[in-house]
Amino acid sequence: YFLFGRSEHRFDTFMARFPKSTIFKAASKLTHQSSHEILKDLEYLSGVNNDCIDDCAPGGSCKAHFSNQIRSARAMVKNVLPQSSIAYSKHLGKYVLLHSGFAVGRLRAFFVRTSDTIFGPWGDASLVYERPKYNY
């Protein structure tokens, strides 16, 4: 399973993963301690092909690297809030990331990016929709 989030002072989206067994183990206890079990099993996306994710060439054979150290975490995509949506499109044969333009100053816009893998690298943002300004 994957979790997405951001750092306190940035708009970049980060990824962490944890094994499926962890969520069932934690859910069966339903205590504050169960959340600590998930946290200790988290692994943070730390790079692709030993490089920063932004440097991994699209279409290349990217291999994700994960670390149990949060200090090793690298952004999977920059200037994108984690309140976005990622899904696999069978039609495209790619992962699709839909996000708002809030982090780039376009509050009424929505963008889409694609990737061969869930962890990136993500292509350039393409505008999907921008709500018109209304003069009331």
Side-chain angles (χ1 to χ4, degrees):
Y1 287 93
F2 295 100
L3 297 173
F4 301 93
R6 71 176 182 90
S7 68
E8 189 175 347
H9 304 288
R10 296 172 56 186
F11 287 126
D12 302 341
T13 298
F14 293 82
M15 172 192 276
R17 70 178 181 184
F18 59 93
K20 185 178 184 179
S21 60
T22 300
I23 195 76
F24 294 116
K25 196 170 34 171
S28 69
K29 296 179 183 174
L30 295 176
T31 66
H32 181 69
Q33 183 64 29
S34 63
S35 63
H36 291 286
E37 287 189 36
I38 291 174
L39 291 175
K40 76 175 183 169
D41 288 340
L42 282 179
E43 293 181 324
Y44 303 92
L45 182 66
S46 59
V48 176
N49 287 349
N50 294 321
D51 294 321
C52 177
I53 291 170
D54 294 334
D55 296 334
C56 185
S61 68
C62 294
K63 182 177 180 193
H65 299 277
F66 288 84
S67 169
N68 61 359
Q69 299 296 316
I70 194 167
R71 290 183 294 282
S72 299
R74 302 292 276 280
M76 66 175 254
V77 63
K78 295 183 184 262
N79 291 321
V80 172
L81 292 174
Q83 293 89 349
S84 52
S85 177
I86 298 175
Y88 183 77
S89 167
K90 287 182 183 179
H91 177 72
L92 296 174
K94 294 185 177 287
Y95 287 88
V96 177
L97 167 65
L98 178 68
H99 63 89
S100 74
F102 178 80
V104 293
R106 294 182 71 182
L107 303 178
R108 297 180 321 277
F110 289 91
F111 295 89
V112 67
R113 299 171 187 245
T114 61
S115 174
D116 293 329
T117 66
I118 195 167
F119 49 81
W122 293 93
D124 293 333
S126 296
L127 180 65
V128 175
Y129 176 77
E130 189 158 17
R131 185 174 53 91
K133 263 188 178 174
Y134 295 105
N135 295 322
Y136 295 102

